[in-house]
Amino acid sequence: MDTINWADLSFGYMKTDFNVRSYYKDGKWSEPQVDTSEFLNIHMAATCLHYGQEAFEGLKAFKGKDGKIRIFRMRENALRLQSSCRGIMMAELPVELFEEMVLLVVKKNERFVPPYESGASLYIRPLLIGTSAQVGVKPASEYTFLIFVTPVGPYFKEGFKPTPMVILREYDRAAPLGTGTFKVGGNYAASLTAGEKAHKLGYSAVLYLDAKEKKYLDECGPANFFGIKNNTYVTPESTSILPSITNKSLMQLAEDMGMKVERRRIPEEELSTFEEAGACGTAAVISPILRIDDLAENRSYHFSKDGKAGPISEKLYKKLRAIQYGDEPDIHGWVTIVE
Ligand SMILES: *Cc1c(COP(=O)(O)O)cnc(C)c1O
């Protein structure tokens, strides 16, 4: 058994021992199967390859000081996958089967769950694809659901530091009544050009505006946006945003901390009124935003004077991490302990 250098982990892929799979055929999902192969043998005419019938999820497992492994809000991921399935006409996976397979794949790969002290975690990647051979454009009749896991390092190796983001008005991620609310690969393919351009220009991510009017904030590539002002947590309401489970959790924690929470349309100009701003998602929990540049309009919005994250973002970040690692009580029932 090879040893893993937990301190050197990044957000990359590392082979683990097992993955789990279930196959949908004749209207039924199979019993979970444990596999050691990293490969899939699929038909060249599978609908996932040609017509994008593919949805995925992302969640994490954490090892606590007590040595117990905790999985964060997996039921929410199961429900969101079902929503994605309805969105692109794939067979829905039962919530119970999703949860059973998450627990199974984590247990089978227990040796890859990073120790508490490392600040690292086990990333869990569920994937559902249409596999039956078809040339005509219609939904597949057969599907494969699989979950693999891979250990990932702490997101903030150099501390919880804000980064600059950019508005690129020449790109959209998702159409107002399109697939933006579903976690499907197609949305990611559609965002690659803008994302690469942002990185080349020195930004960590793109902040998208609504595709129709280019007036309101949408989301930050693979993460939701939030702003803080007057003891209020504000996050955009839109028909093209992916409902982030991290954002949902932060809204609850903000409320627990005595803050007001608003989910509504946010005009771009309102950025100038926020005391703090951040992007949120499973990978980083919160990525604090240093500055947002709207290049075409030649405008900039600043959220940090000293290059440090704001106090409320930091408090929310620490609180959520503490619940995930079991350092603080799980009063909302968000955590499943792997037994
Ligand atoms: C997955 C994802 C998020 C973050 O969701 P979490 O459930 O918090 O991880 C945000 N935006 C998009 C587009 C996503 O795909």
Side-chain angles (χ1 to χ4, degrees):
M1 195 166 98
D2 42 311
T3 54
I4 301 164
N5 187 351
W6 302 111
D8 277 355
L9 285 175
S10 63
F11 196 79
Y13 174 83
M14 176 192 288
K15 183 183 187 306
T16 57
D17 292 335
F18 302 100
N19 58 84
V20 295
R21 306 176 185 205
S22 173
Y23 302 97
Y24 181 87
K25 201 177 168 178
D26 303 324
K28 291 192 299 287
W29 288 99
S30 73
E31 284 297 307
Q33 297 173 17
V34 176
D35 212 306
T36 54
S37 169
E38 291 172 279
F39 295 90
L40 279 163
N41 189 9
I42 57 173
H43 197 284
M44 62 185 175
T47 62
C48 63
L49 300 176
H50 298 260
Y51 304 129
Q53 266 201 311
E54 181 272 346
F56 66 97
E57 274 302 328
L59 62 162
K60 281 178 170 178
F62 306 86
K63 191 170 273 176
K65 258 185 212 146
D66 54 8
K68 288 184 182 157
I69 299 169
R70 290 169 173 80
I71 302 172
F72 189 68
R73 302 197 81 171
M74 67 170 166
R75 194 173 190 88
E76 292 290 328
N77 294 91
L79 291 168
R80 189 169 67 188
L81 180 64
Q82 289 191 326
S83 161
S84 297
C85 287
R86 291 191 293 274
I88 58 168
M89 298 205 74
M90 302 198 291
E92 270 180 57
L93 186 88
V95 168
E96 298 69 31
L97 183 56
F98 182 98
E99 293 181 331
E100 179 190 347
M101 289 174 67
V102 167
L103 289 169
L104 179 62
V105 75
V106 172
K107 264 188 244 176
K108 281 284 188 186
N109 293 291
E110 208 175 325
R111 73 180 183 96
F112 293 97
V113 185
Y116 172 80
E117 301 72 32
S118 65
S121 57
L122 186 73
Y123 185 71
I124 305 166
R125 169 52 61 87
L127 174 74
L128 203 157
I129 56 174
T131 49
S132 49
Q134 249 152 244
V135 178
V137 181
K138 61 177 173 32
S141 55
E142 293 173 13
Y143 294 87
T144 294
F145 174 65
L146 71 84
I147 314 179
F148 69 78
V149 296
T150 195
V152 293
Y155 200 85
F156 298 105
K157 285 203 163 141
E158 289 123 52
F160 188 58
K161 255 187 72 179
T163 58
M165 298 193 184
V166 66
I167 294 171
L168 295 172
R169 288 170 173 266
E170 64 274 37
Y171 299 103
D172 293 319
R173 185 190 80 94
L177 302 176
T179 55
T181 54
F182 309 122
K183 207 168 178 76
V184 298
N187 295 336
Y188 279 75
S191 71
L192 287 175
T193 320
E196 283 302 298
K197 182 160 179 179
H199 292 150
K200 275 208 187 95
L201 293 170
Y203 298 100
S204 64
V206 178
L207 172 59
Y208 289 93
L209 299 180
D210 77 284
K212 192 173 178 183
E213 297 185 74
K214 296 275 182 188
K215 233 178 121 173
Y216 301 99
L217 306 184
D218 227 63
E219 63 173 316
C220 306
N224 280 185
F225 173 87
F226 69 87
I228 307 267
K229 65 174 177 186
N230 310 326
N231 200 35
T232 308
Y233 180 102
V234 193
T235 193
E237 170 115 81
S238 149
T239 55
S240 47
I241 290 178
L242 192 281
S244 153
I245 297 162
T246 311
N247 197 7
K248 190 173 174 179
S249 309
L250 293 172
M251 284 189 253
Q252 179 65 55
L253 295 179
E255 211 177 284
D256 296 351
M257 282 161 42
M259 296 177 68
K260 263 203 343 207
V261 173
E262 290 175 4
R263 209 171 139 253
R264 57 167 170 82
R265 295 212 289 186
I266 305 176
E268 185 196 315
E269 300 74 53
E270 195 177 336
L271 283 173
S272 64
T273 67
F274 289 125
E275 298 146 17
E276 300 178 28
C280 59
T282 294
V285 179
I286 289 175
S287 310
I289 304 175
L290 180 71
R291 182 182 90 239
I292 294 168
D293 294 341
D294 182 338
L295 293 182
E297 301 287 314
N298 209 3
R299 274 197 295 265
S300 288
Y301 306 92
H302 296 259
F303 306 101
S304 171
K305 284 177 204 80
D306 52 4
K308 289 206 192 88
I312 295 173
S313 300
E314 180 147 11
K315 199 167 157 194
L316 285 167
Y317 169 77
K318 285 191 169 150
K319 182 87 190 173
L320 189 57
R321 296 255 307 174
I323 296 170
Q324 290 175 329
Y325 282 93
D327 293 334
E328 284 202 33
D330 171 32
I331 62 164
H332 297 292
W334 288 342
V335 162
T336 305
I337 294 179
V338 180
E339 317 261 21

